[in-house]
Amino acid sequence: MSVPSVEVWADPERQDLEERVAAAELAWLTLDVDVATLRVEIDNFALAHHQLLGPLYAELDELDALIAESVAVLSGDPEDLRRAREARERVEPPEERGPREGEPEARRVRPGKEAQRTYRELVRRAHPDLTTDPAEQERRSGFIARVNEAYALADAEGLERLAEEWSTSPDSAPAADSPDRLAWLRQRLEWLTGRITALAVERVRLERTPMGELLLLRPEEPERLLEELAEQLLATAADRQARLAALLPDNGHHQPSHAPQETAPMFAQLPTADAASVPADAVLLDVREQDEWDAGHVEGALHVPIGQVVARLDELPEGRLYVMCRVGGRSAQVVQYLVAGGRDAVNVDGGMFAWEAAGRPMVSGTGREPFVL
């Protein structure tokens, strides 16, 4: 890189433009990386949201439809019948619900600092708008598309390979002592100002999308946010099931046409067992969070945090499951959900506190003395 001569820096306008272009270029590259990172994280969050919560939303729609149909059958009111039809129309067909077999697993991609640095440098050097030659613009556009793909995958090694590939390409900017430099600086500053404005608008647009607004509630812990949402949906589903149970008469008369889709155990009293009576060979499902599990748990238990239960149903073994949490509240929600789906599940009353009080054995995930957190 050539160094401007003393004569060049003696020109106040030229010096001012050089500094303003350098500052605008830094702002553009920083914002470009920020927007690209935000777009990647929103895409991954949306996929995880669909896979984890999609089945729960579908379950709530089905319960809302069943409740509306039960109310309509019992009242015969035309307005209730209209609400029931509308509620049923909102229910997705079963084949469209939730993640399908073969869908890619949701994974959070956060490009690292080195990947961001390489990406920023490649965009600075290879952007198509740095040239006016149509053939060169096409070549650069294809190259930048590959750069964007590697960045979206947080592929630092791939970005390094692309940087090496581009290292032999000529720089389109006039030399520092070129008479065309001043005109180029003016054009460059105008272009950078436009790009910064466009990127700022794009960032606002992304942040205001439904998934963007949701992600910004917990930008550093999106997985935990999804777990909390799943807990809320499970609790809501349990409430809906209880309401539907109250609407259905014991003698079976006046049941809505869709009632056969529900299973009888859904409306039975929640199965429970005290900690002392849980068989030694029972299959235990612990639905607490990771830090609670690490502090103390039952050896051999299956650990699936409550927010992941729906997405990991296939991991739950067949047969009776004894479900545990800290005191029994979260596990009750999970048992209600499992029983509604025809599974044999029992809530361990009092949770791990009751287990510890009964003198049942525990282990920790830290090597320290186990305790209930």
Side-chain angles (χ1 to χ4, degrees):
M1 179 177 179
S2 59
V3 179
S5 65
V6 175
E7 290 77 10
V8 167
W9 289 113
D11 181 351
E13 182 185 6
R14 170 69 180 276
Q15 181 176 352
D16 179 64
L17 275 174
E18 291 281 2
E19 293 172 351
R20 290 171 64 188
V21 166
E25 187 168 85
L26 177 61
W28 164 55
L29 293 173
T30 301
L31 187 56
D32 191 57
V33 170
D34 290 345
V35 170
T37 301
L38 179 61
R39 187 182 294 111
V40 168
E41 292 195 340
I42 288 178
D43 288 346
N44 281 274
F45 182 75
L47 177 59
H49 183 276
H50 170 71
Q51 291 185 335
L52 179 61
L53 304 184
L56 276 175
Y57 283 119
E59 177 71 14
L60 287 175
D61 287 342
E62 175 67 25
L63 287 168
D64 285 339
L66 289 168
I67 289 171
E69 289 165 347
S70 299
V71 170
V73 168
L74 292 172
S75 71
D77 186 273
E79 186 64 17
D80 288 338
L81 291 170
R82 181 189 64 79
R83 294 194 187 98
R85 285 195 301 272
E86 291 178 351
R88 178 52 58 187
E89 289 172 359
R90 287 193 293 269
V91 176
E92 289 183 339
E95 63 272 14
E96 296 181 9
R97 294 183 187 173
R100 298 171 176 79
E101 183 178 354
E103 271 189 333
E105 293 186 3
R107 61 188 184 91
R108 189 178 186 210
V109 177
R110 181 188 291 275
K113 295 295 183 183
E114 188 62 24
Q116 292 184 23
R117 183 198 63 76
T118 307
Y119 175 79
R120 184 181 295 113
E121 180 65 16
L122 280 170
V123 171
R124 185 187 68 81
R125 295 165 56 193
H127 201 284
D129 290 340
L130 291 173
T131 180
T132 57
D133 179 71
E136 179 64 9
Q137 284 184 335
E138 183 177 356
R139 184 180 77 88
R140 288 171 177 254
S141 295
F143 182 80
I144 286 296
R146 293 162 59 200
V147 171
N148 289 336
E149 182 180 2
Y151 186 69
L153 297 172
D155 184 2
E157 293 183 1
L159 287 170
E160 288 293 341
R161 288 193 297 270
L162 288 167
E164 183 178 356
E165 176 183 333
W166 190 261
S167 62
T168 57
S169 298
D171 193 344
S172 64
D177 55 356
S178 169
D180 299 327
R181 180 75 176 183
L182 192 62
W184 180 85
L185 286 170
R186 293 192 186 103
Q187 294 173 354
R188 178 68 172 167
L189 184 60
E190 182 180 359
W191 181 85
L192 286 168
T193 302
R195 286 299 301 154
I196 289 170
T197 301
L199 285 169
V201 171
E202 175 66 4
R203 181 168 67 179
V204 170
R205 186 195 68 79
L206 288 170
E207 290 176 347
R208 289 182 177 178
T209 61
M211 286 296 108
E213 290 182 344
L214 199 56
L215 176 61
L216 289 177
L217 294 175
R218 298 282 286 274
E220 299 303 321
E221 297 181 299
E223 296 87 356
R224 179 57 188 149
L225 174 61
L226 289 174
E227 291 173 3
E228 291 175 356
L229 291 172
E231 291 177 19
Q232 296 171 14
L233 291 175
L234 281 169
T236 302
D239 291 341
R240 295 282 201 282
Q241 290 162 354
R243 183 182 176 192
L244 183 58
L247 288 170
L248 295 180
D250 293 337
N251 58 15
H253 296 305
H254 308 299
Q255 290 191 12
S257 59
H258 291 276
Q261 297 180 28
E262 305 300 318
T263 58
M266 176 186 290
F267 311 114
Q269 185 177 1
L270 193 68
T272 60
D274 61 86
S277 66
V278 174
D281 60 350
V283 179
L284 295 170
L285 171 62
D286 191 322
V287 298
R288 296 174 301 154
E289 298 306 315
Q290 187 65 48
D291 56 347
E292 297 174 288
W293 168 269
D294 290 339
H297 59 268
V298 180
E299 187 172 12
L302 176 62
H303 180 220
V304 181
I306 186 172
Q308 302 177 22
V309 169
V310 175
R312 298 172 60 184
L313 278 177
D314 291 344
E315 297 179 25
L316 305 185
E318 297 296 329
R320 174 162 294 183
L321 292 171
Y322 288 83
V323 187
M324 305 180 69
C325 66
R326 186 167 178 262
V327 294
R330 284 171 288 176
S331 56
Q333 295 175 23
V334 174
V335 169
Q336 182 76 33
Y337 181 79
L338 293 175
V339 169
R343 301 295 299 267
D344 184 2
V346 178
N347 188 39
V348 179
D349 195 22
M352 285 298 297
F353 274 125
W355 185 274
E356 184 180 43
R360 304 294 297 265
M362 296 191 306
V363 295
S364 77
T366 62
R368 301 176 182 174
E369 189 71 19
F371 66 97
V372 179
L373 178 62

